[in-house]
Amino acid sequence: MRTKISPSLMCMNLMEIKQQLAVLNTRADFLHVDIMDGHYVKNITLSPFFIEQIRPFTPVAIDVHLMVEEPTDFIDAVAKAGADYICPHAETINRDAFRVINQIRSLKKKVGVVLNPATPVSFIHHYIHLLDKITVMTVDPGYAGQPFIPEMVRKIAELKALKQQHGYHYLIEIDGSCNEKTYATLLEAGAEVLIVGTSGLFNLDNDLTRAWDSMAQKIADAQDRLRASA
C-alpha cells in the first residue's frame, strides 16, 4: 500500500490558507483538523467553523481529530461542516462506544478512533472491527513539537498483525513526530497514514510546494532503506 499523507492544518500558515490549500489539494490524501476543547487537552485550536470555511475550497477528505471531553457535543457539528472522518479518543467514548460509532455512521461519515500513548490496543478490542481508521499517538496529545515515544512502535506492529490476522479494514495512522528521523521506523512497523506537521512538512521550506517535495523525498529515502535491508 502506498503511504498516505495527512497534513495537520493547525501547523499551516493560516495567513496563506487559500494558497496552501491549493498546493495540498493536488498532493494530500487527507487534511487533518485538530479540534481541542481546552479540557481534554489544555489547548484550544480549530473548530467546526474552520471546517465549514475550507470545505468549499478542497476536494480532499477532511479527517477530524476530536481532542474533547464530550465527542457527542461535536459530532453533528463537524459532520454538518463537511468532515469525512470523525475520530474521537478511545478514552472519551468508553462508556458508549457503540452508540457513538452508530451516530457517526448514521451521518454517512467514516469512523476513526485515537489511542493515547498509554492506552493499549485491548481497550478497543470489542469494536475494532467497526473502525475505518485507528490513530496511534506517538506523543502525548495537545502540544506540537514533543519527542517521539519509541514504545509506540510495538503498538503499531500489534495493529498491523491484528489487521492481517483478522482481515480488518482500518487504516493505521500515526500522529506525532512524523519526520525523517522516524519515517523508516514507523513504516517498518506498519504505518499506513502519516500525519505531518511542522517538523515533517511545514518547516521544511517557506514555499509549500518545495516543502512537500522535500518531505516526499525523505519518505522515499526511508522506503528505499527498508527495501535494501529486507
Side-chain angles (χ1 to χ4, degrees):
M1 175 187 292
R2 180 182 65 82
T3 303
K4 298 181 184 296
I5 304 299
S6 182
S8 177
L9 297 194
M10 76 173 185
C11 301
M12 73 191 308
N13 183 349
L14 294 178
M15 298 300 291
E16 299 180 3
I17 187 167
K18 287 185 72 173
Q19 300 94 315
Q20 295 207 338
L21 277 178
V23 174
L24 298 179
N25 283 346
T26 62
R27 294 163 174 81
D29 298 286
F30 303 96
L31 297 177
H32 186 81
V33 174
D34 287 302
I35 293 182
M36 307 180 190
D37 63 356
H39 298 286
Y40 185 73
V41 294
K42 295 299 183 184
N43 281 347
I44 297 175
T45 51
L46 305 177
S47 68
F49 179 71
F50 175 82
I51 300 168
E52 182 181 350
Q53 292 299 298
I54 68 168
R55 181 73 282 179
F57 299 98
T58 181
V60 181
I62 296 176
D63 175 33
V64 178
H65 177 183
L66 292 177
M67 281 183 264
V68 300
E69 288 282 3
E70 298 291 344
T72 53
D73 291 346
F74 290 83
I75 288 171
D76 284 348
V78 298
K80 183 179 180 181
D84 297 287
Y85 284 73
I86 301 176
C87 309
H89 276 255
E91 302 86 1
T92 66
I93 64 170
N94 189 37
R95 292 169 300 179
D96 51 3
F98 289 90
R99 184 171 66 84
V100 171
I101 290 169
N102 288 336
Q103 180 186 2
I104 296 171
R105 286 261 184 262
S106 72
L107 296 166
K108 311 298 185 191
K109 306 300 180 182
K110 299 282 190 179
V111 180
V113 75
V114 185
L115 297 177
N116 277 337
T119 304
V121 173
S122 60
F123 200 84
I124 61 172
H125 170 75
H126 293 292
Y127 58 87
I128 192 170
H129 59 290
L130 300 175
L131 300 174
D132 298 301
K133 184 160 63 64
I134 299 173
T135 304
V136 176
M137 296 294 298
T138 58
V139 299
D140 288 323
Y143 298 93
Q146 295 182 77
F148 178 75
I149 299 173
E151 289 84 355
M152 295 306 97
V153 175
R154 292 195 301 273
K155 185 184 290 186
I156 299 165
E158 181 181 357
L159 287 169
K160 178 182 178 181
L162 285 170
K163 181 176 180 177
Q164 293 175 338
Q165 180 180 354
H166 298 285
Y168 296 145
H169 69 277
Y170 56 74
L171 290 169
I172 302 171
E173 180 178 71
I174 312 303
D175 190 353
S177 290
C178 291
N179 53 50
E180 66 176 322
K181 296 179 180 177
T182 60
Y183 288 146
T185 298
L186 295 172
L187 295 174
E188 184 176 29
E192 297 169 334
V193 184
L194 301 175
I195 296 173
V196 290
T198 51
S199 66
L201 175 61
F202 292 100
N203 277 2
L204 296 181
D205 197 289
N206 289 331
D207 182 282
L208 188 54
T209 299
R210 290 197 298 265
W212 187 280
D213 291 344
S214 176
M215 174 201 67
Q217 186 59 57
K218 294 176 193 301
I219 293 172
D221 290 344
Q223 292 168 328
D224 288 344
R225 291 196 300 273
L226 290 175
R227 282 191 287 266
S229 63

